[in-house]
Amino acid sequence: MSTLKKFKLRLTIKEILFVAFILRVLLPIAALIVTRDVTAFHRYDTASYLEPARSLLETGQFSSANQPELFRTPGYPLLLLPGLWLGRGELVTIALQIFSSCLTVYLIYKIGLLLFKKEKIAMCCAGLYAVEPLSILWSSIIMTEIVHATSLALFLYFILKYLQNKSLKLLLLAAVTLAASAYIRPISYYLPFLITALLLAWTFIKMKGQKILLVHACIFLVVSMGFTGLWQVRNYLKTGYYGFAAVSSFNLHCWYGAGVLAAEQGRPVFD
């Protein structure tokens, strides 16, 4: 019993990253052995990312069906370009996503250190994400989830570092990273408003309203929304559509609206 009490499992971050890497590599290998079909890594929405990526590669235009693409933003299609260019779309993209997911494990470790100042807690956080089933599964699916998670983890790391030392450089990196996450998944589009509000509240409560930090919060909002605003300008000039991504309007009309009608009329949503 005393021997068991003395025994402690000690893993380094390198070993946790190795475990995360092996788990994420074994899954697509097993899937290929069983299915022998790369479309096993596709989902219903995969084609909507592949088409504008192919258009970018072939014509230099971000379009679908010879029309400017409004439904998807260019963040994830850009990640698909190396694989399409090499003729190994699924293989290269999954490799990049595995790297992205392992990077998220490391970022969680760094975030844990920033928040708790304890190595054991940071290692535990990284270890939990390393074996988290969904992060392993989505690493092998040609969709945005894994890369978006990495961009949000990187943003969180930068913003926490900024809160420690008030460096404008780190704040700008956080703003650009958050804007990039919106280009990957538009769900991040409104986050700059929330983060700016939290920065202002933090400045008034903790920093007694220091003017320079108030300026920093405004700069964060301008930079993060400015980068996403560039894509809205592109959409308006190309088509007259002033939104960031039409997918949100589509979902509101065709899914949420249809869901309400289905509930009212007692019919299936797809009807």
Side-chain angles (χ1 to χ4, degrees):
M1 190 70 176
S2 60
T3 305
L4 290 174
K5 286 182 179 179
K6 291 179 181 178
F7 177 77
K8 291 182 180 179
L9 180 60
R10 294 183 178 274
L11 291 175
T12 66
I13 186 60
K14 289 182 180 180
E15 290 167 337
I16 289 176
L17 287 170
F18 179 73
V19 170
F21 175 76
I22 291 299
L23 290 174
R24 285 154 178 77
V25 167
L26 288 177
L27 182 62
I29 291 175
L32 271 180
I33 291 173
V34 172
T35 66
R36 299 185 181 278
D37 184 5
V38 294
T39 60
F41 306 118
H42 291 200
R43 288 297 179 269
Y44 177 78
D45 287 337
T46 299
S48 65
Y49 294 103
L50 287 170
E51 187 173 357
R54 290 193 181 100
S55 176
L56 268 176
L57 189 64
E58 295 168 2
T59 69
Q61 300 293 319
F62 191 69
S63 61
S64 295
N66 297 319
Q67 298 293 327
E69 175 63 32
L70 295 175
F71 196 74
R72 298 299 181 190
T73 45
Y76 190 67
L78 287 173
L79 183 78
L80 299 174
L81 290 182
L84 293 175
W85 182 67
L86 292 170
R88 294 288 186 271
E90 289 78 11
L91 177 64
V92 174
T93 302
I94 290 172
L96 291 173
Q97 291 186 174
I98 289 172
F99 171 79
S100 177
S101 189
C102 290
L103 176 59
T104 305
V105 173
Y106 182 71
L107 287 169
I108 288 173
Y109 165 74
K110 299 293 287 185
I111 291 168
L113 285 178
L114 289 172
L115 288 174
F116 303 106
K117 316 296 183 186
K118 291 184 179 180
E119 181 81 12
K120 288 183 180 180
I121 296 179
M123 296 288 286
C124 181
C125 294
L128 287 172
Y129 189 79
V131 299
E132 199 276 316
L134 286 178
S135 67
I136 296 171
L137 174 64
W138 284 100
S139 296
S140 300
I141 296 175
I142 311 299
M143 289 288 287
T144 61
E145 276 73 4
I146 288 299
V147 184
H148 187 247
T150 303
S151 66
L152 289 180
L154 189 59
F155 158 72
L156 187 57
Y157 173 74
F158 283 140
I159 200 70
L160 288 173
K161 288 287 287 184
Y162 164 76
L163 294 177
Q164 279 191 343
N165 56 34
K166 322 302 183 300
S167 167
L168 181 59
K169 178 181 178 181
L170 286 169
L171 187 68
L172 291 174
L173 287 172
V176 172
T177 305
L178 187 58
S181 75
Y183 276 91
I184 297 168
R185 281 178 72 87
I187 195 171
S188 299
Y189 178 79
Y190 292 105
L191 270 179
F193 296 106
L194 173 62
I195 300 302
T196 301
L198 293 175
L199 286 173
L200 290 171
W202 172 77
T203 301
F204 281 112
I205 296 171
K206 296 290 186 180
M207 298 292 114
K208 309 302 180 184
Q210 291 185 22
K211 290 183 179 180
I212 187 63
L213 298 181
L214 295 176
V215 173
H216 282 189
C218 293
I219 290 174
F220 174 85
L221 181 63
V222 169
V223 172
S224 55
M225 292 307 297
F227 272 97
T228 53
L230 292 174
W231 193 249
Q232 290 179 250
V233 171
R234 173 264 183 191
N235 290 343
Y236 183 78
L237 293 177
K238 290 279 187 179
T239 67
Y241 174 71
Y242 58 84
F244 183 65
V247 62
S248 56
S249 302
F250 178 86
N251 288 339
L252 179 65
H253 180 72
C254 295
W255 290 108
Y256 304 134
V260 172
L261 291 176
E264 289 178 347
Q265 301 173 15
R267 298 168 58 190
V269 173
F270 280 96
D271 283 354

